[in-house]
């Protein structure tokens, strides 16, 4: 199992690095990592995480299409603002999803960490949704979620995956800085509208 986990970790890290650099190739690479991690998490009885990978697969296809529709001239995705009201609504939906999934996993499965796993799953979906929609806030949420994931995977003896998620924290910080710089980038003179003729 550990060699499969290692392959999944490397592919996942590659996908996140491409995301941090705003490159659309992050999506097909991410889809491959999702397939591998669905099996890994199901085998570890982290069922919410396994379901999360399936949901990620759907969001990856959505994100890939969305990004391809919003590329700069340099082929990198454009960053979009996230209104506070939308962010608050999404976080509340995440909380409701965490409670519902946690209850289901606690009641009807032998999940190892039903409540924690469900909460991480719900908020990972929120972060993935934000990423697909090109919001910088996704990186902040990924940092919080990934810190907690590191502890969960150490507890479940998925050491390669815990190292991967520690690396994800570093990549999320890189992504946060990169996306902030993209927003702060001055508009080249060639992109400015010509002055109106009198």
């Amino acid at each position: 199992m550990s060699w499969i986990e290692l392959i999944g970790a490397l592919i996942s890290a590659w996908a996140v690095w491409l995301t941090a650099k705003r490159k659309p190739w992050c999506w097909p690479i991410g889809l491959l990592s999702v397939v591998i991690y669905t099996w890994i998490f199901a085998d570890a009885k982290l069922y919410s995480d396994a379901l999360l990978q399936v949901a990620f697969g759907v969001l990856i296809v959505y994100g890939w299409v969305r990004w391809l529709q919003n590329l700069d001239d340099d082929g990198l995705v454009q960053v979009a603002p996230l209104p506070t009201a939308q962010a608050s609504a999404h976080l509340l939906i995440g909380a409701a999803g965490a409670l519902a999934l946690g209850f289901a996993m606690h009641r009807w499965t032998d999940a190892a960490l039903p409540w924690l796993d469900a909460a991480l799953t719900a908020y990972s979906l929120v972060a993935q949704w934000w990423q697909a929609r090109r919001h910088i806030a996704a990186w902040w949420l990924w940092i919080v979620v990934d810190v907690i994931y590191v502890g969960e995977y150490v507890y479940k003896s998925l050491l390669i995956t815990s190292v991967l998620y520690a690396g994800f924290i570093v990549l999320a910080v890189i992504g946060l800085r990169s996306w902030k710089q993209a927003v702060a980038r001055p508009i080249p003179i060639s992109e400015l509208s010509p002055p109106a003729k009198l």
Side-chain angles (χ1 to χ4, degrees):
M1 173 63 119
S2 60
W3 68 270
I4 295 174
E5 189 182 352
L6 178 59
I7 291 170
L10 293 173
I11 293 172
S12 293
W14 185 21
V16 174
W17 183 82
L18 289 170
T19 305
K21 297 298 179 183
R22 299 171 33 236
K23 296 179 184 275
W25 274 103
C26 65
W27 299 106
I29 302 299
L31 195 56
L32 179 58
S33 73
V34 157
V35 170
I36 295 169
Y37 266 100
T38 300
W39 187 76
I40 290 170
F41 290 138
D43 186 67
K45 296 186 177 181
L46 292 172
Y47 302 127
S48 292
D49 275 341
L51 286 173
L52 174 63
Q53 299 306 305
V54 174
F56 274 166
V58 173
L59 287 174
I60 282 171
V61 172
Y62 170 75
W64 195 0
V65 170
R66 185 99 177 154
W67 277 34
L68 289 176
Q69 295 170 345
N70 293 281
L71 297 178
D72 284 331
D73 291 337
D74 57 6
L76 303 178
V77 74
Q78 299 169 356
V79 178
L82 175 61
T84 304
Q86 270 187 24
S88 299
H90 296 163
L91 292 173
L92 286 173
I93 291 168
L99 290 172
L101 183 59
F103 176 80
M105 291 295 164
H106 176 73
R107 176 98 174 154
W108 293 300
T109 76
D110 62 344
L113 300 166
W115 296 102
L116 177 62
D117 200 27
L120 291 172
T121 295
Y123 284 109
S124 291
L125 286 172
V126 173
Q128 187 69 21
W129 174 254
W130 286 352
Q131 199 126 57
R133 299 196 49 93
R134 305 170 290 119
H135 301 313
I136 290 176
W139 294 112
W140 287 111
L141 188 51
W142 279 129
I143 290 167
V144 172
V145 167
D146 290 344
V147 165
I148 300 169
Y149 265 131
V150 169
E152 180 186 61
Y153 295 141
V154 167
Y155 177 76
K156 287 300 295 178
S157 299
L158 293 171
L159 299 182
I160 292 172
T161 303
S162 67
V163 170
L164 169 67
Y165 275 73
F168 281 168
I169 296 166
V170 173
L171 289 171
V173 171
I174 291 169
L176 179 63
R177 291 183 64 200
S178 173
W179 285 36
K180 279 184 171 183
Q181 288 170 355
V183 171
R185 178 182 67 92
I187 300 171
I189 293 174
S190 61
E191 294 179 22
L192 294 173
S193 301
K197 293 182 180 178
L198 298 176

